[in-house]
Amino acid sequence: MNKNIETDRCSFRRMFPLFFAALSLLAVFGSATPSGAFITKMGDMPLTIMGYINQGLGYGITGDEHYDTKEGPQSAYYNVLLEMELEVSPNLRFFGSGMLTGDWAYEFLSGDSEWEKKAFVNSRDELAHDTVLRDLLQEAHVTWTPGNFYLRAGKQIVVWGETDGFRIMDQINPLDQRRGITDVEFESTVLPTWLLRAQCFFQPQSTWLQDLGFEFVFNPNADFEKNRDIVPGNDVAGIWAPNVLVPLGPGTDAHLGSLNYDLKEPDTWDSDGFEYGLRVRSVVRDAILTLNYFYGLDNSPITKNAPMMPDIEVSPWDNMLIIHPYVEGYYPLFRFGGATFTKDFPNISSSALGGVAPVLRLEGFYAFSNTFTNDQKNTFETHDEIRWAIGVDWKVKVDWLNPRAYFMISPQFYHRYVVDYPDAGQTLTATASTAVKENNYQTSLMINTTYFHNKLQPSIFWLGDWTYGRSGFIRPQLKYEYSSNWDFTLGAIFLYGDADASGKGFEPLRYKDHVYFTASYRF
């Protein structure tokens, strides 16, 4: 193990109780202000401190006969976020945030026979608590805004996309998905990156063009960061490890365990890891239009089987073999040009539905020479591809269900098309080990509303993948805003997958059904 990482972990374990207590006390003092933020001064400069503390509990509701899950209490995810902004002058600000993230399940399930025999205990170093500095330090940047110019340098998040759930244009910042589909704050899943971002804005004197802006983003590869995907193996992915069976012969299968990776990635400050983004944003006849271009690396690696015999062990839970293959790969080039379009359509509004106009969102790009793995040949090959999505946001009034508030209904459709797909009998795997066909389809639907002066917020989200049979998940959720500081969330996630699409879509996750409860305190 890297000595510096181990030193960071030891320091974290010693300081964590004190740090957590200090944040809790700060939350109490901060709540004295109406906004929940703690405002003070550093010299003559205003300093704003805010954040939140989340504590969740996940309860598995799928039978314990499945190797990849655990019935009963199975997770206790937490987030502690602290944000500070220092206003040096009206156009110069410093911002920094730190976050503790982890799962107390590794403490309260220590010694549990099922937890240990299914090898979940072995994922402790990866998932119990984020302890290295790069994870504890979230955003850290300085922003300078003289006139119509905007410059931000430092560790930050850049949002380009217009869709929810489908990351099409949002390819600059990687994601941390190791802890699966659960009720954590969305911001905690996006990984800030060291970037230089510049924008300039104009207001043209035109009746059809109301606004025009240019944005340039540069990633100097100061600290190579990549997606942290859900990967095979209970020993590294914990409770969210996919259930994939490896056929060994007629009627005989083995579990797919963790993979032995040999991945090439660019060194720090290496120009091979430089990334560039350019966006033009305009308001044309009340429609928001952007043109986007990105040149960089894919945030997930492309891999193929390495010419080595896999490691094999026997599971003490069900006595089945566990196969640990060797794979090799790298982070391929990722280049695309695309656009987004957002506009409301007042002519479609209906007084019977509340009179609010629907908002149309379009987003898509054309990617050049993306790298795929030909599964039959076990070789890499390149193909152009198109990804696009369309979505609608519509607030409608349904008096007999809710006479005081609107329902927000947001359906979406996503399509991914691979150009010059191989001949029949050959299949492709994309980065993040995602199996893709020539045409790949997904749909989603979000419905939410509020009751009791916005305090009670029920919602339901559904995502369906139609590429390999039918798979997806449904998430009903109820959130209660007790006060400006406290809120509580109760929800459940039900996953499903076509048994004939083994290892594809959401099928490997279909035994992950669980109920979750989260308490959150904002300060």
Side-chain angles (χ1 to χ4, degrees):
M1 179 180 294
N2 184 287
K3 184 177 180 180
N4 291 332
I5 293 178
E6 182 60 29
T7 300
D8 284 343
R9 286 177 175 163
C10 292
S11 299
F12 171 82
R13 292 178 185 129
R14 289 193 299 266
M15 296 181 64
F16 177 78
L18 181 61
F19 190 24
F20 190 89
L23 286 176
S24 301
L25 288 174
L26 180 59
V28 173
F29 288 122
S31 63
T33 65
S35 65
F38 181 79
I39 302 175
T40 184
K41 286 199 172 187
M42 181 179 291
D44 294 329
M45 300 176 291
L47 175 65
T48 303
I49 302 173
M50 64 186 70
Y52 60 74
I53 300 173
N54 285 347
Q55 180 59 66
L57 177 65
Y59 189 94
I61 55 178
T62 305
D64 59 6
E65 68 271 14
H66 300 293
Y67 174 73
D68 65 310
T69 190
K70 183 184 185 306
E71 191 173 20
Q74 59 174 223
S75 66
Y77 299 131
Y78 69 84
N79 300 128
V80 182
L81 176 71
L82 179 66
E83 297 179 337
M84 294 179 289
E85 183 177 69
L86 180 65
E87 183 179 334
V88 179
S89 68
N91 58 14
L92 183 63
R93 296 171 181 264
F94 290 93
F95 180 86
S97 65
M99 177 179 287
L100 300 174
T101 303
D103 185 356
W104 294 116
Y106 290 88
E107 270 65 44
F108 68 71
L109 289 175
S110 178
D112 180 275
S113 176
E114 180 183 357
W115 187 258
E116 294 184 352
K117 286 184 176 181
K118 289 184 177 180
F120 295 135
V121 65
N122 297 335
S123 61
R124 181 186 182 95
D125 286 347
E126 180 68 24
L127 297 173
H129 307 287
D130 291 345
T131 59
V132 297
L133 181 60
R134 69 186 304 182
D135 296 329
L136 298 176
L137 177 64
Q138 289 290 291
E139 295 187 63
H141 51 73
V142 57
T143 304
W144 183 44
T145 55
N148 293 334
F149 184 74
Y150 172 105
L151 178 65
R152 174 171 290 177
K155 198 174 185 184
Q156 57 185 291
I157 294 173
V158 176
V159 178
W160 275 7
E162 295 292 334
T163 52
D164 299 319
F166 304 129
R167 281 173 63 88
I168 299 178
M169 212 68 72
D170 277 332
Q171 299 292 334
I172 295 175
N173 291 94
L175 290 180
D176 185 352
Q177 297 177 304
R178 294 171 299 162
R179 296 180 175 93
I181 309 165
T182 191
D183 183 48
V184 296
E185 293 290 333
F186 175 74
E187 293 84 358
S188 68
T189 67
V190 181
L191 297 172
T193 309
W194 295 98
L195 302 170
L196 179 66
R197 179 183 178 193
Q199 296 176 316
C200 57
F201 306 93
F202 304 95
Q203 291 184 332
Q205 301 300 313
S206 170
T207 56
W208 62 273
L209 182 64
Q210 291 93 41
D211 194 13
L212 181 64
F214 298 88
E215 178 180 11
F216 174 72
V217 179
F218 174 58
N219 178 3
N221 190 29
D223 184 13
F224 184 73
E225 186 63 273
K226 56 270 189 184
N227 283 340
R228 303 177 187 181
D229 300 306
I230 299 176
V231 294
N234 295 1
D235 55 330
V236 294
I239 204 69
W240 277 97
N243 179 49
V244 179
L245 296 178
V246 180
L248 299 180
T252 304
D253 295 321
H255 296 298
L256 177 62
S258 56
L259 306 181
N260 297 299
Y261 289 96
D262 179 14
L263 298 178
K264 298 178 181 178
E265 61 182 55
D267 296 329
T268 299
W269 303 107
D270 187 341
S271 60
D272 288 343
F274 287 0
E275 296 184 332
Y276 310 88
L278 178 64
R279 181 172 75 153
V280 181
R281 184 184 184 278
S282 60
V283 178
V284 181
R285 299 193 183 280
D286 298 321
I288 302 174
L289 175 67
T290 73
L291 300 176
N292 307 62
Y293 177 76
F294 177 79
Y295 179 99
L297 299 182
D298 200 299
N299 289 322
S300 291
I302 188 73
T303 61
K304 63 179 181 179
N305 294 327
M308 298 179 66
M309 292 296 295
D311 296 334
I312 300 176
E313 62 176 324
V314 178
S315 168
W317 174 256
D318 55 13
N319 294 318
M320 286 181 59
L321 295 180
I322 304 176
I323 307 295
H324 299 273
Y326 284 80
V327 297
E328 58 188 9
Y330 65 102
Y331 293 84
L333 280 175
F334 189 36
R335 295 156 291 181
F336 67 78
T340 68
F341 175 86
T342 305
K343 187 180 185 339
D344 63 339
F345 289 87
N347 294 335
I348 304 179
S349 63
S350 168
S351 58
L353 296 176
V356 178
V359 177
L360 176 70
R361 295 178 284 110
L362 283 167
E363 179 176 352
F365 68 61
Y366 189 96
F368 309 95
S369 299
N370 275 359
T371 305
F372 299 83
T373 302
N374 187 307
D375 298 324
Q376 282 63 43
K377 298 179 179 179
N378 194 37
T379 57
F380 297 137
E381 58 188 56
T382 59
H383 297 268
D384 291 358
E385 66 169 299
I386 299 171
R387 303 181 200 177
W388 69 278
I390 182 172
V392 175
D393 295 333
W394 200 348
K395 285 186 175 182
V396 300
K397 204 74 163 49
V398 185
D399 287 337
W400 63 277
L401 285 176
N402 191 343
R404 296 182 179 274
Y406 286 85
F407 283 84
M408 171 64 82
I409 302 176
S410 301
Q412 294 183 132
F413 172 81
Y414 168 80
H415 178 211
R416 180 178 185 177
Y417 171 70
V418 180
V419 180
D420 295 328
Y421 199 85
D423 297 334
Q426 300 181 43
T427 58
L428 295 181
T429 298
T431 56
S433 300
T434 303
V436 293
K437 290 186 176 181
E438 182 176 13
N439 288 285
N440 307 268
Y441 304 101
Q442 291 184 338
T443 54
S444 72
L445 176 65
M446 167 69 87
I447 301 176
N448 60 57
T449 188
T450 63
Y451 293 92
F452 304 115
H453 305 288
N454 298 328
K455 285 186 173 295
L456 199 62
Q457 303 168 14
S459 67
I460 186 166
F461 179 79
W462 166 72
L463 175 66
D465 189 331
W466 306 94
T467 306
Y468 290 93
R470 291 180 296 173
S471 67
F473 70 90
I474 300 172
R475 189 200 69 180
Q477 179 176 278
L478 182 64
K479 186 174 183 178
Y480 176 54
E481 293 273 1
Y482 175 75
S483 68
S484 61
N485 301 106
W486 284 98
D487 64 69
F488 305 93
T489 304
L490 177 65
I493 294 179
F494 304 100
L495 295 109
Y496 61 94
D498 193 330
D500 294 331
S502 178
K504 300 179 178 66
F506 285 92
E507 189 277 334
L509 305 177
R510 62 192 178 117
Y511 301 132
K512 310 293 187 184
D513 294 355
H514 66 280
V515 177
Y516 60 83
F517 174 78
T518 303
S520 179
Y521 183 84
R522 297 185 300 274
F523 55 89

